[in-house]
Amino acid sequence: MDLSENERSYLQGQPLGRLSTLAADGSPQTRPVGFFLNEELGTIDIGGRDMGRTQKFRNVQRDGRISFVVDDLASIDPWAPRGIEMRGDADAIGDADPPRPGFGRGLIRIHPSRVISWGIDNDAFAHPLARDLPRS
């Protein structure tokens, strides 16, 4: 995955992100999730204890289009937001080896096609850095 070293470090240091999937009626569903940067595959792996039983898992099985955001405040004085948004496709995998403690065998694997970041490799109030990624 084509991430800067700062973006990679940022993701590795964050425990939670927010995953948006599409419900059966096309409406968005956004939930906080634990995740793992899978360097070997160039993906973001999202998991949890019972991921295979969740609505977000079923949403991805039906329609793999997703958006994933990880953000926080580097400082509140001065105000310094930072974050990364990834857009792309995901797979719902029902029987995967858990990549870390707390993950069950079900996971959602994100294949990012677009990455937008702010406050990581640039000033938080500058135009966000956006780039399209090739699908591997």
Side-chain angles (χ1 to χ4, degrees), residues 32-108:
V33 293
F35 70 96
F36 173 75
L37 180 59
N38 188 329
E39 296 277 4
E40 182 180 330
L41 297 177
T43 61
I44 300 289
D45 292 349
I46 294 176
R49 189 172 52 93
D50 291 319
M51 178 59 71
R53 296 181 185 189
T54 65
Q55 184 64 51
K56 58 188 156 283
F57 190 87
R58 290 188 300 275
N59 288 349
V60 168
Q61 285 178 312
R62 186 179 46 263
D63 186 331
R65 293 176 294 168
I66 59 83
S67 178
F68 179 64
V69 174
V70 178
D71 65 337
D72 71 350
L73 292 171
S75 169
I76 58 171
D77 188 17
W79 190 256
R82 60 186 177 173
I84 297 176
E85 177 187 355
M86 295 181 178
R87 299 176 192 169
D89 296 310
D91 300 315
I93 301 170
D95 192 27
D97 289 331
R100 66 191 224 197
F103 279 39
R105 297 201 59 84
L107 65 84
I108 294 173

Side-chain angles (χ1 to χ4, degrees), residues 19-23 26-31 54-57 59 67:
L19 176 68
S20 294
T21 61
L22 296 172
S27 62
Q29 178 199 30
T30 303
R31 296 289 184 264
T54 65
Q55 184 64 51
K56 58 188 156 283
F57 190 87
N59 288 349
S67 178

